[in-house]
Amino acid sequence: MKKNAAVYLCNFTPARQREILPLCAQCGIRVRKVDPADFGQQIGLIAGLPEFERSQTVEEAEPFTEELMLMQGFDQALLDDFLNRFRQRRVKSVALKAVITPTNSGWTLLRLHDEIAREHEYMMQQRRQSADRQ
């Protein structure tokens, strides 16, 4: 188990949270629900990184509605273990997920959402095209 590992959940229903919370507890991962009012704040602030301060001017944009999961303090072994538990327990995967990095910690959650949503859509298109060729 990795100390200080955390998961930040955006737009998860209470039922989905009840599915994921036991997986986090088994791995020693703290969980925090992110309020949509904070979607325009920098990820570093949401994650409690000391060099980030709350901005009075937040990015104005339509809040997203898809589930998004941010992971902080994960090494590869914890990430593998955590994601394997989803498969073992047959918990529906989270399509939009990201690990907090030095690069994206300065982004707003809205920007990260847009980036990983584009990446996810591209990967799904590639998968569909590959299936069509077979």
Side-chain angles (χ1 to χ4, degrees):
M1 268 179 235
K2 177 97 171 161
K3 287 185 179 182
N4 299 321
V7 165
Y8 300 88
L9 302 177
C10 306
N11 296 326
F12 281 72
T13 64
R16 281 287 278 159
Q17 289 178 48
R18 283 191 299 274
E19 289 180 320
I20 294 170
L21 291 175
L23 304 178
C24 294
Q26 292 166 357
C27 294
I29 300 168
R30 292 179 294 116
V31 179
R32 178 171 166 235
K33 183 180 174 196
V34 180
D35 189 297
D38 287 332
F39 288 3
Q41 292 289 344
Q42 290 180 306
I43 292 165
L45 175 84
I46 292 167
L49 299 176
E51 62 270 24
F52 291 88
E53 294 181 9
R54 180 166 291 280
S55 174
Q56 297 305 314
T57 57
V58 296
E59 183 177 326
E60 292 289 327
E62 190 68 30
F64 57 91
T65 57
E66 304 93 343
E67 293 179 341
L68 186 145
M69 181 169 61
L70 284 171
M71 296 167 279
Q72 177 185 30
F74 280 57
D75 59 18
Q76 191 62 50
L78 179 58
L79 181 61
D80 292 344
D81 182 37
F82 183 57
L83 297 178
N84 281 332
R85 289 175 190 270
F86 272 78
R87 288 185 283 277
Q88 291 168 350
R89 300 277 163 74
R90 292 185 168 85
V91 173
K92 180 184 165 201
S93 179
V94 179
L96 304 180
K97 52 188 166 287
V99 173
I100 298 173
T101 67
T103 300
N104 68 24
S105 64
W107 298 358
T108 65
L109 196 52
L110 293 167
R111 178 178 175 195
L112 178 68
H113 166 268
D114 292 348
E115 291 288 329
I116 61 178
R118 271 194 296 278
E119 290 174 11
H120 179 71
E121 182 55 36
Y122 176 79
M123 290 183 341
M124 296 308 293
Q125 286 175 347
Q126 295 301 310
R127 190 175 290 165
R128 286 189 294 270
Q129 289 174 354
S130 178
D132 289 345
R133 284 187 228 127
Q134 295 178 0

